[in-house]
Amino acid sequence: MTPPPTGRATEAAATAPPVDVAPYAQLHDTVIETLGSEIVTGVLPAGSVVGADELAARLGVSRTVVREATRVLESVNLIRVRRKVGITVLPADAWSPYDPNVIRWRLAGPDRYEHLNALSELRSAVEPLAARLAARQATPEQCGALTAAVIGMSATARAANSEDYLRHDADFHRTLLAASGNPMLHGLRDVVVAVLEGRTAHALMPRVAEPEAVRLHGVVAASIQAGDPEAAETAMLAIVRESSTAVETVRAMETLTNAAQVIGEMARENLSR
């Protein structure tokens, strides 16, 4: 049996700096982010097969980092890993639809607006029901948290595209789903927050919040506190519809801007001939 270290060996062990795992964790996260984004945005299309060695060389990381990153991506059904075959990219209908990372990557991709529409349809089925249930189930603490979130949204409404406004908005919707008392609805909190974060990250929020949207959040909070299920449900449905309409407005403006740029480029080409 090897004796325990003594003397200088003990002193060296005691004074040795702790191993810094942060760089490794950052590499791991970077590989997950890179591959996940490439798959969801179509850079690596469905059916593509790549090897771990190929990915390690391209990304400049070890096979261990690639192996652990692919385990994460396999857990949300973006890929399938098989020995002697490699890493196969799965089709979109296999991906885990409620995973926050998958949602975030899809909102950064070319089908952003189509996915936002699908998420809005989900929210219109989930959040009004949560508001109705919360009017019966919410605790005094949850009622207070909803009111505090609305106050925060009002205070930051002139910077609705900021992280501060997003934080208060996310707090409101997390609390709402928790206050429903239904664990299945509460389990969708990360999905709803991912939608809110995606709107902010991709410049789909106005600089100044729509006053009606903030007012409706206040109506939901007040209706829940008053124990009025119908009023809470109606106001929450109006919030989801307003959000969907706002995104469609941004989409229409983006389409017009892109069309104007194309027309301008064509006009310049004609003038240069």
Side-chain angles (χ1 to χ4, degrees), residues 2 7 40 44 71 83 87 90 94 106 109 114 132 135 145-146 162 177 179 184 186 208 211 230 249 252 257 265:
T2 303
V40 172
L44 287 174
R71 285 175 181 165
R83 288 185 178 180
I87 301 162
L90 298 179
R106 295 195 76 161
E114 289 75 11
R132 169 178 280 275
L146 288 170
S162 69
L177 292 168
M184 303 301 291
H186 188 213
V208 177
E230 288 75 19
T249 299
T257 300
E265 290 172 1

Side-chain angles (χ1 to χ4, degrees), residues 109-184:
D111 64 343
R112 174 185 307 158
Y113 291 109
E114 289 75 11
H115 199 56
L116 272 172
N117 183 60
L119 289 166
S120 292
E121 291 175 349
L122 175 66
R123 289 184 65 194
S124 69
V126 169
E127 291 197 273
L129 173 59
R132 169 178 280 275
L133 294 174
R136 302 190 184 103
Q137 303 283 348
T139 65
E141 292 77 16
Q142 288 169 333
C143 289
L146 288 170
T147 301
V150 174
I151 292 172
M153 291 173 68
S154 298
T156 56
R158 294 185 65 81
N161 55 353
S162 69
E163 291 296 325
D164 287 339
Y165 184 89
L166 171 62
R167 184 176 67 256
H168 296 302
D169 196 11
D171 285 345
F172 179 92
H173 292 275
R174 284 195 193 95
T175 303
L176 173 72
L177 292 168
S180 72
N182 185 310
M184 303 301 291

